[in-house]
Amino acid sequence: MRTADYIRLILLAAIWGASFLFMRIAASEFGAINTAFLRVFFGFLGLAFILLILKSSVKFEGKFKHSLILGVINSGLPFFMYCLAARWLPAGYSAILNATTPLMGALTGFAFFGEKLSTRKWGGVILGLIGIMVITTVGESRSNDETIAGVVACLVATGCYGVAGFLTRSWILNKGGLDPKTVAFGSQIGATLFLLPFFIWSTTTGPSIDWLQGEVWASILAVGIICTAFAYILYFRLIVDIGPLRTLTVTFLIPPFAVLWGYLALGETINEGFIIGALIVCVSVWLVVTPGKNTAAMKSEVTK
């Protein structure tokens, strides 16, 4: 990897780590549904602006419907779940649970898409579940019920990411592919359309909200434009330059940044259960995302 690749990887981790902080600030004031909708809406506007500046043509090649559905699964539902979790969990907790995405992807592939799991990956999955239990049950907690609810919301989100990964391969990559920026743009359209009715319902029938809060709007714009639109471009650039496996290592780097931003901005602290559980989860993710010796040897033979 080049120095520029390392810089982009760390920058992406810092940006996505900040997204949990911004969602925590916004969701507590605007509510989970409203925050999730505004994130994807400004993500859509940001991507539209980026595509316009880059003068990129948007051609879905008959995959527009699939891109919209992917947006619901890969953005709409997960962002709503993370906004719910943000009302109960510190930013660092949501970030480390987000790092379980490869674990959920492995389980999803095994359960629904005919993927086989090696002994190494099964060990990683089991270890990851142990780490989640430690985060949830060890150490002092403000409210154990709230902690469990937040953890479940985050795991639903990562489960959606796991499903979306396999559907992207089936619907997009295996049928000729699309420009990643186009897929990202279409997905934000789908997520926006999906969350729009809930946003209208929330604003018309839900509790009154003070919309004139500059700090909250700054968080909304940041999570939509920087943490969604710009981050997607950075993410797909990394996939092209260093490959998907190395790009996945960003999940290891996000939690430290999320904890740092939460501490600096909100004075959030973590307990011993989080530290122990986070270390266990990181080891489990490493076991899942890194190829075993047999896989590496097979790839070496192919490339000879």
Side-chain angles (χ1 to χ4, degrees):
M1 287 173 56
R2 300 167 299 176
T3 301
D5 297 326
Y6 284 109
I7 293 174
R8 280 195 288 267
L9 193 66
I10 293 173
L11 178 60
L12 181 61
I15 290 173
W16 274 345
S19 70
F20 296 99
L21 167 66
F22 295 137
M23 285 189 290
R24 185 156 174 78
I25 293 173
S28 63
E29 298 295 332
F30 286 177
I33 292 176
N34 300 333
T35 300
F37 169 78
L38 291 170
R39 175 176 183 175
V40 298
F41 176 68
F42 283 109
F44 155 69
L45 292 182
L47 280 167
F49 179 74
I50 290 171
L51 290 172
L52 182 64
I53 293 296
L54 296 177
K55 297 181 180 179
S56 300
S57 59
V58 180
K59 297 180 181 180
F60 288 96
E61 308 292 345
K63 304 181 183 71
F64 182 62
K65 177 182 176 182
H66 288 153
S67 296
L68 294 182
I69 297 173
L70 285 174
V72 175
I73 301 172
N74 199 50
S75 293
L77 280 173
F79 290 173
F80 174 54
M81 289 294 108
Y82 279 127
C83 287
L84 275 178
R87 304 185 67 176
W88 303 314
L89 299 177
Y93 281 59
S94 295
I96 194 63
L97 291 166
N98 178 70
T100 65
T101 296
L103 308 184
M104 299 302 287
L107 284 175
T108 299
F110 174 78
F112 302 108
F113 295 95
E115 296 286 321
K116 294 182 179 180
L117 292 183
S118 64
T119 303
R120 178 193 183 94
K121 289 188 176 182
W122 271 119
V125 169
I126 294 171
L127 197 60
L129 295 176
I130 294 172
I132 292 168
M133 291 178 61
V134 171
I135 291 173
T136 307
T137 59
V138 176
E140 297 180 359
S141 175
R142 297 175 308 282
S143 169
N144 195 51
D145 290 340
E146 288 186 353
T147 300
I148 292 174
V151 168
V152 170
C154 289
L155 293 180
V156 170
T158 57
C160 288
Y161 288 147
V163 172
F166 286 99
L167 292 180
T168 300
R169 185 178 68 181
S170 176
W171 291 348
I172 306 296
L173 300 180
N174 291 347
K175 295 184 179 180
L178 281 178
D179 185 328
K181 294 190 293 295
T182 300
V183 179
F185 181 60
S187 71
Q188 293 310 294
I189 295 175
T192 300
L193 293 175
F194 168 71
L195 289 172
L196 179 59
F198 298 100
F199 174 71
I200 294 173
W201 171 81
S202 176
T203 53
T204 55
T205 64
S208 60
I209 296 173
D210 178 11
W211 294 99
L212 301 178
Q213 301 184 66
E215 179 183 340
V216 181
W217 277 109
S219 296
I220 290 289
L221 292 173
V223 78
I225 296 174
I226 299 174
C227 301
T228 304
F230 176 70
Y232 265 127
I233 301 299
L234 199 60
Y235 173 71
F236 289 126
R237 171 66 185 274
L238 278 168
I239 289 179
V240 171
D241 289 346
I242 66 176
L245 187 60
R246 287 182 175 176
T247 303
L248 271 178
T249 59
V250 73
T251 58
F252 293 100
L253 302 173
I254 292 173
F257 279 107
V259 171
L260 175 62
W261 303 145
Y263 171 75
L264 292 177
L266 301 177
E268 293 181 345
T269 58
I270 58 177
N271 60 39
E272 65 275 16
F274 172 82
I275 296 173
I276 297 170
L279 291 173
I280 295 173
V281 168
C282 286
V283 173
S284 70
V285 172
W286 176 77
L287 288 172
V288 170
V289 302
T290 55
K293 292 182 179 179
N294 292 338
T295 304
M298 289 176 62
K299 290 183 178 180
S300 176
E301 289 296 325
V302 171
T303 55
K304 285 182 179 178

